[in-house]
Amino acid sequence: MLSIVEQDLGTPERTGANSVTLSIDGVEVCVPEGTSVMRAAALAGTKIPKLCATDQLEPFGSCRLCLVQIEGMKGLPASCTTPVAAGMKVTTQNERLAAVRRGVMELYISDHPLDCLTCPANGHCELQDMAGAVGLREVRYGYTGANHLDAGKDTSNPYFTFDPSKCIVCSRCVRACDERQGTLALTIAGRGFDSKVVASQGETFFDSECVSCGACVQACPTATLSENSLIQKGQAEHSVVTTCAYCGVGCSFRAEMQGEQIVRMVPNKDGHANHGHSCVKGRFAIGYATHPDRIVKPMIRAKITDPWREASWDEAIAYAASELRRIQAKYGRNSIGGITSSRCTNEETYLVQKLVRAGFGNNNVDTCARVCHSPTGYGLKNTLGESAGTQNFDSVMQANVIFVIGANPTDGHPVFASQMKRRLRQGAQLIVADPRGIDLVRTPHIEAAHHLKLRPGTNVALLNSLAHVIVTEGLVDEEFVKARCEAAAFDKWRRFVGEAQNSPEAMETVTGVPAASVRAAARLYAGARNGAIYYGLGVTEHSQGSTAVMGIANLAMATGNVGREGVGVNPLRGQNNVQGSCDMGSFPHEFPGYRHVGDETVRASFEHDWGVTLQGDPGLRIPNMFEAALDGEFKGLYVEGEDIAQSDPNTQHVTAALEAMECIIVQDLFLNETARFAHVFLPGSSFLEKDGTFTNAERRISRVRKVMEPKSGQADWQITQLLSNALGLPMNYAHPAEIMAEIARLTPTFTAVSYERIDELGSIQWPCNAAHPTGTPTMHIGEFVRGKGKFLVTEYVPTAEKVTQKYPLLLTTGRILSQYNVGAQTRRTENNLWHGEDRLEIHPHDAEERGIADGDWVGIGSRAGETVLRATVTERMQPGVVYTTFHFPDSGANVITTDNSDWATNCPEYKVTAVQATRVNQPSDWQRRFREFRDTQETLLHGADVFAAK
Ligand code: SF4
Ligand code: SF4
Ligand code: SF4
Ligand code: FES
């Protein structure tokens, strides 16, 4: 628990190598060169009054409240904009300074509504504090002059209110939007008395370019910009530091609380992944956690056509266990399995895989990473030796060339995108490879040097042609390769990519990217002092996803861009704990720490610790579970925190497999699409209701801390424990810290990880062990984890999914800032105001050919199925390619996606589906069936008193 108000040192930290010693009010202070006088004073314990300065933003020097006297200097310089100098003698308090500051405050207060007692900022208003700090007792100008007290409020944003009558025009909001967020939505319009904050061209916040990150609200020293929740609820009385449960950035927040009620989420300045910034989801979209749709009591039923019946925890767990044992007795040990969650904590995920391996007695455990980043694990393990990204986020600030391929950071990883944009505004160059014109290609003050607008499904061809340029134009970092990589493998790869068939010219007809652009991009990346690659699901979710990951690793090794800051291979992980769920042994072939179940020594260590005999053969992957279910061999499934019926490809195939099972146990917050096929529902807990850890895309392990009791009475780790005990595998953890102790005991890359260590360091990037007691921000320094880096030949094999006369367009999918994956959380928040439906984006040319206008209903058919969405006609798309998001269940985006998958990992090929689009005026047959089934399932809930509140 921390104090509510974080210390603000006034100006940002400077990390210059040299130190400077000065005297402030007679006290000697030693600070890094470049530090402001204000910050030096704050570090010495002296608070200089301030309004326009904050340590989250560059100093601006507009309010003139922070004036100081400096020996030998004329006038009264602003301490926020004056850097320290050796031997400087600063006076922060005397009569003259006090008089000037009081004068400044008088002017502010004469144009300010004096409603402090009823103001939402009462208690944390910096203007109020400063009035006190300067000893303001009277306002000589009175309150009746020209003022802004009648300025109307802007309440357009669902999460915060703009009340310009309280604005002191300090510009902190404008600078926060520029510097922190990089959206540049705000300006100060007008001059002098008329100056005021405006969004975009004088629009409301909602209609402007604002992306609701809340940085301006956080920066505002008054109540001008205030969270609506704060206005409604008032001040918090305690706060708890925890980690966002949305995306793989893993932002740290202080949950400001009144008892068990959240007042607001404030990004933690000490957060190592976010440094005090956030996006609209983590800061504002938390209403789902207390939404009345939440089911908080266990339920059971014998058949999915039966009504749900509320059950006690004892009854539900006993029923689930007896069904699993019955199925195994009838169909064999391998007839059941489990799916772990990338939303749940490491400890919870670890327990589920332990339950499957040791309790079910097989290795039929998988996770949703199967459908997103499993190729990352495979590709990076085989080339670099470790199944994880190589850097921390801060590394991007040292990159000179940033190559983003198959990722849309401003929507998918917004806080990291803001950091990346900051680096780009500092002058780093950008290469984007994406079929679609993502926002990053052109945003304020940023323009990609190259946008390689490739055709979906041709990543490997593009990567090979980039590599071709590098090896044939003498751009290889020979010294690095010689010292760090396997020579024979490199020679083989060099010969392969050097072949004429891999040249940009030869590949142009395949990728659709002009050869000259590929050559220029390759030269830019290879010639960079520090070249960093960031990639996402646009790389992995392909039939050659693993090949593309290896191709990326090859490029980085060939150019010497691994093993130091500013470079590397950086997978942007989608969900909050997708890295952690992989680390924790969620895959059927691997124990925690990516060790094969066939390794006898490793297996023996788990057998010894768990006191059971374990199987040495890999179990079923998710798609294999579906196949086995349809073959009548797989009959029982325990699903923790995943909605496979919505998120997995070829929905009709998935739901047929679910219908073929005899017992599906769903542990979740809501009756999701998978739960409609379930026989046991175990009410899960949100991230606010439990202790544990998440591991973000940087391998950073951060604490999740309980801020309220679980609504169902049990945290997810406790539910798994109950089920395990009922199945006869004893689990008696009193706290998740004990689970982490077991993980550390059994996992070489985690041996020094503990809750105490995380609390001490704030967060830890694994490996964290005797060799790296404080963690590993940058991997592969000096040597690759596997010893020598291994180049692998990456032959381009076109996907079997080809456009035909019947299906002439390629559909690719992605996500949007305001929604999150299957939408179960964000759809239950006001984020729907920004994105209330999935739309089909289509190029004007393709739309015109089909008579489709913006907003029309469009039927999209593939060989897997058909659905109907409304069209957005946009030049973002290239002709021949259409795009949709997949956040709403009845959009049925995955009704269309096929069961093609990555050759190595079975990661589905979500990003390439051949489709036809036609104008229609009614829902698809699937949508009609879906809605009927959903309505029926809703009626089967009637009478069950299982909701959080109605
Ligand atoms: S809205 Fe707040 S931060 Fe922005 S200028 Fe006004 S007082 Fe300053
Ligand atoms: S909420 Fe974020 S994007 Fe919107 S104006 Fe404020 S800082 Fe800019
Ligand atoms: S960037 Fe990701 S982790 Fe950070 S607040 Fe947004 S959703 Fe949460
Ligand atoms: S705080 Fe220094 S001028 Fe405003």
Side-chain angles (χ1 to χ4, degrees):
M1 222 171 268
L2 294 180
S3 82
I4 305 295
V5 182
E6 283 179 298
Q7 196 189 7
D8 187 334
L9 300 174
T11 61
E13 185 182 12
R14 298 288 184 249
T15 49
N18 301 325
S19 292
V20 170
T21 302
L22 69 161
S23 148
I24 296 178
D25 295 335
V27 178
E28 287 229 324
V29 192
C30 184
V31 291
E33 199 176 23
T35 302
S36 71
V37 169
M38 174 180 279
R39 187 178 176 96
L43 289 169
T46 300
K47 282 188 191 166
I48 299 174
K50 66 180 184 61
L51 275 173
C52 68
T54 166
D55 58 13
Q56 295 280 286
L57 301 170
E58 290 302 317
F60 192 56
S62 71
C63 76
R64 313 304 293 167
L65 198 63
C66 69
L67 308 182
V68 289
Q69 205 164 300
I70 298 178
E71 203 175 280
M73 243 188 228
K74 277 195 194 152
L76 301 175
S79 62
C80 62
T81 49
T82 306
V84 294
M88 197 178 241
K89 288 191 168 47
V90 181
T91 301
T92 71
Q93 299 286 354
N94 62 27
E95 276 306 311
R96 184 178 167 210
L97 289 167
V100 175
R101 287 178 190 150
R102 271 198 295 274
V104 170
M105 282 305 296
E106 273 185 273
L107 281 170
Y108 279 124
I109 297 300
S110 67
D111 184 9
H112 199 81
L114 296 179
D115 57 357
C116 293
L117 291 184
T118 53
C119 177
N122 190 13
H124 69 190
C125 172
E126 294 182 38
L127 188 68
Q128 198 180 51
D129 294 347
M130 289 308 113
V134 304
L136 190 69
R137 295 291 174 265
E138 59 170 342
V139 175
R140 285 167 294 169
Y141 314 108
Y143 305 101
T144 51
N147 59 47
H148 301 84
L149 304 185
D150 291 335
K153 290 182 188 174
D154 175 352
T155 56
S156 61
N157 188 291
Y159 296 122
F160 59 84
T161 295
F162 175 56
D163 178 357
S165 71
K166 294 177 189 285
C167 183
I168 58 169
V169 202
C170 65
S171 193
R172 273 163 64 161
C173 54
V174 177
R175 287 178 285 139
C177 195
D178 295 0
E179 293 174 27
R180 306 284 301 157
Q181 169 55 26
T183 293
L184 285 75
L186 303 179
T187 43
I188 303 282
R191 290 172 156 240
F193 178 79
D194 292 328
S195 54
K196 60 177 183 182
V197 173
V198 296
S200 296
Q201 311 301 317
E203 288 149 84
T204 63
F205 270 78
F206 188 79
D207 292 329
S208 73
E209 289 125 342
C210 167
V211 292
S212 284
C213 71
C216 55
V217 180
Q218 190 170 341
C220 183
T222 66
T224 314
L225 283 160
S226 287
E227 294 92 344
N228 290 344
S229 59
L230 182 80
I231 296 172
Q232 285 151 14
K233 294 174 186 164
Q235 295 291 313
E237 40 79 16
H238 74 274
S239 70
V240 181
V241 172
T242 190
T243 303
C244 178
Y246 277 117
C247 85
V249 177
C251 296
S252 175
F253 280 89
R254 280 184 303 116
E256 290 194 355
M257 308 292 300
Q258 286 172 346
E260 287 223 330
Q261 178 176 245
I262 295 186
V263 174
R264 61 178 181 174
M265 299 292 278
V266 180
N268 181 17
K269 283 203 294 195
D270 293 333
H272 294 159
N274 59 321
H275 307 295
H277 192 40
S278 75
C279 81
V280 61
K281 294 190 286 287
R283 190 193 291 259
F284 295 122
I286 52 162
Y288 73 88
T290 47
H291 195 279
D293 280 358
R294 265 193 72 179
I295 295 178
V296 295
K297 293 180 187 161
M299 301 188 296
I300 56 178
R301 59 182 177 178
K303 301 194 296 295
I304 66 165
T305 47
D306 289 346
W308 281 107
R309 182 169 70 75
E310 182 189 332
S312 67
W313 275 107
D314 284 349
E315 187 189 6
I317 293 288
Y319 180 72
S322 70
E323 277 296 279
L324 293 173
R325 286 301 184 224
R326 177 188 68 76
I327 289 169
Q328 281 190 306
K330 187 168 172 190
Y331 299 100
R333 188 177 63 197
N334 294 330
S335 59
I336 64 171
I339 296 180
T340 71
S341 175
S342 294
R343 309 265 171 88
C344 287
T345 64
N346 284 316
E347 295 74 5
E348 289 164 342
T349 307
Y350 174 86
L351 286 199
V352 172
Q353 64 87 35
K354 178 175 178 178
L355 171 64
V356 171
R357 298 188 202 283
F360 294 2
N362 61 44
N363 286 316
N364 292 339
V365 61
D366 208 353
T367 186
C368 62
R370 170 70 50 219
V371 299
C372 66
H373 266 288
S374 50
T376 288
Y378 185 91
L380 298 187
K381 182 93 178 171
N382 283 290
T383 48
L384 311 182
E386 190 55 272
S387 303
T390 60
Q391 313 295 122
N392 60 7
F393 290 140
D394 288 351
S395 162
V396 78
M397 299 312 285
Q398 309 301 322
N400 305 103
V401 171
I402 298 169
F403 178 19
V404 178
I405 173 166
N408 183 3
T410 53
D411 283 76
H413 303 84
V415 164
F416 174 62
S418 290
Q419 188 173 24
M420 184 187 273
K421 288 196 290 184
R422 209 171 308 142
R423 181 61 186 155
L424 292 168
R425 289 197 304 276
Q426 287 174 359
Q429 302 253 58
L430 174 67
I431 303 165
V432 172
D434 201 291
R436 197 165 154 261
I438 58 171
D439 284 351
L440 199 59
V441 171
R442 190 171 294 112
T443 70
H445 301 310
I446 293 168
E447 176 144 20
H450 304 285
H451 177 199
L452 311 177
K453 216 170 183 176
L454 75 173
R455 286 179 68 69
T458 63
N459 285 324
V460 173
L462 178 71
L463 289 162
N464 284 347
S465 59
L466 288 164
H468 178 91
V469 178
I470 288 166
V471 303
T472 57
E473 294 193 8
L475 301 173
V476 169
D477 185 337
E478 302 284 355
E479 210 177 302
F480 180 91
V481 171
K482 191 160 173 238
R484 301 279 310 266
C485 303
E486 285 184 16
F490 172 69
D491 288 341
K492 193 171 167 196
W493 175 79
R494 185 202 289 257
R495 275 195 304 279
F496 163 71
V497 292
E499 288 168 9
Q501 58 167 356
N502 287 318
S503 71
E505 289 72 19
M507 282 297 176
E508 187 171 322
T509 51
V510 173
T511 61
V513 183
S517 302
V518 176
R519 287 196 177 272
R523 289 171 196 144
L524 182 62
Y525 171 69
R529 187 155 53 81
N530 287 332
I533 304 179
Y534 293 87
Y535 72 91
L537 305 183
V539 163
T540 54
E541 289 177 343
H542 288 273
S543 60
Q544 280 204 289
S546 293
T547 318
V549 173
M550 295 188 293
I552 287 171
N554 290 339
L555 278 189
M557 289 190 290
T559 53
N561 278 313
V562 191
R564 63 180 186 279
E565 276 200 75
V567 298
V569 176
N570 302 281
L572 295 174
R573 302 286 186 150
Q575 304 196 59
N576 54 328
N577 200 35
V578 71
Q579 178 71 54
S581 74
C582 298
D583 301 343
M584 292 299 106
S586 293
F587 289 134
H589 66 294
E590 282 172 341
F591 286 117
Y594 303 99
R595 290 158 305 149
H596 202 278
V597 291
D599 183 321
E600 288 186 8
T601 312
V602 173
R603 200 164 71 247
S605 69
F606 283 91
E607 288 179 335
H608 179 258
D609 201 274
W610 294 350
V612 290
T613 303
L614 297 170
Q615 301 303 307
D617 297 324
L620 297 174
R621 297 168 172 179
I622 292 172
N624 306 132
M625 291 180 194
F626 296 150
E627 292 304 329
L630 290 168
D631 290 345
E633 293 161 6
F634 189 81
K635 294 288 189 180
L637 184 63
Y638 171 41
V639 192
E640 183 198 54
E642 289 299 338
D643 194 359
I644 47 179
Q646 191 185 338
S647 63
D648 283 39
N650 197 349
T651 307
Q652 297 179 92
H653 181 76
V654 175
T655 53
L658 294 176
E659 278 180 290
M661 294 186 210
E662 292 183 8
C663 181
I664 295 176
I665 304 159
V666 167
Q667 184 172 318
D668 215 293
L669 302 182
F670 304 104
L671 195 81
N672 60 19
E673 302 312 310
T674 309
R676 301 190 201 281
F677 296 88
H679 307 83
V680 179
F681 184 89
L682 304 174
S685 48
S686 82
F687 78 112
L688 299 166
E689 297 161 25
K690 56 200 180 189
D691 283 297
T693 56
F694 291 151
T695 306
N696 76 352
E698 309 165 282
R699 296 170 275 105
R700 185 183 301 286
I701 310 163
S702 301
R703 276 298 312 275
V704 176
R705 294 184 179 86
K706 185 161 88 171
V707 304
M708 58 179 72
E709 288 304 316
K711 300 244 167 274
S712 69
Q714 309 282 348
D716 289 287
W717 62 273
Q718 292 170 306
I719 300 170
T720 305
Q721 182 158 289
L722 288 171
L723 185 58
S724 184
N725 287 328
L727 283 162
L729 176 73
M731 284 191 190
N732 296 300
Y733 306 99
H735 189 272
E738 294 176 10
I739 307 172
M740 181 53 84
E742 180 174 316
I743 295 165
R745 189 164 72 228
L746 289 165
T747 313
T749 43
F750 274 65
T751 52
V753 178
S754 67
Y755 280 23
E756 294 75 36
R757 196 89 180 113
I758 299 171
D759 288 347
E760 184 192 327
L761 299 174
S763 66
I764 298 175
Q765 286 178 269
W766 67 261
C768 178
N769 45 27
H772 307 280
T774 56
T776 312
T778 307
M779 293 194 82
H780 312 295
I781 295 175
E783 186 183 46
F784 285 100
V785 170
R786 70 183 301 282
K788 296 273 187 190
K790 185 167 188 178
F791 283 84
L792 288 168
V793 168
T794 54
E795 194 163 339
Y796 170 62
V797 180
T799 168
E801 187 69 9
K802 300 214 182 335
V803 290
T804 59
Q805 220 172 354
K806 190 170 177 197
Y807 300 120
L809 302 169
L810 285 179
L811 171 78
T812 186
T813 61
R815 40 196 248 207
I816 197 158
L817 172 68
S818 53
Q819 295 287 352
Y820 177 73
N821 283 15
V822 295
Q825 295 148 289
T826 43
R827 278 187 281 111
R828 290 182 172 91
T829 70
E830 278 146 322
N831 279 25
N832 279 351
L833 291 172
W834 286 280
H835 187 80
E837 62 178 328
D838 294 318
R839 288 244 186 166
L840 185 80
E841 291 188 11
I842 184 167
H843 188 271
H845 173 76
D846 293 325
E848 195 185 334
E849 257 189 357
R850 290 164 176 78
I852 296 169
D854 201 71
D856 280 352
W857 290 103
V858 179
I860 312 116
S862 74
R863 63 187 170 83
E866 186 168 331
T867 195
V868 172
L869 299 172
R870 283 201 296 155
T872 294
V873 179
T874 169
E875 299 220 342
R876 241 185 224 276
M877 301 311 302
Q878 53 177 293
V881 180
V882 291
Y883 167 91
T884 187
T885 49
F886 46 80
H887 303 302
F888 290 81
D890 60 357
S891 305
N894 282 326
V895 173
I896 332 169
T897 52
T898 67
D899 38 22
N900 281 350
S901 65
D902 175 42
W903 61 271
T905 64
N906 275 146
C907 181
E909 192 170 41
Y910 289 112
K911 301 297 181 188
V912 193
T913 309
V915 297
Q916 177 58 294
T918 42
R919 202 167 152 227
V920 295
N921 50 21
Q922 57 183 11
S924 72
D925 288 345
W926 175 83
Q927 278 166 318
R928 270 198 294 271
R929 288 198 306 277
F930 170 84
R931 287 167 194 170
E932 271 166 33
F933 180 66
R934 181 188 57 193
D935 294 346
T936 307
Q937 287 297 318
E938 294 293 322
T939 62
L940 297 176
L941 265 175
H942 286 170
D945 179 21
V946 293
F947 294 100
K950 273 282 185 198

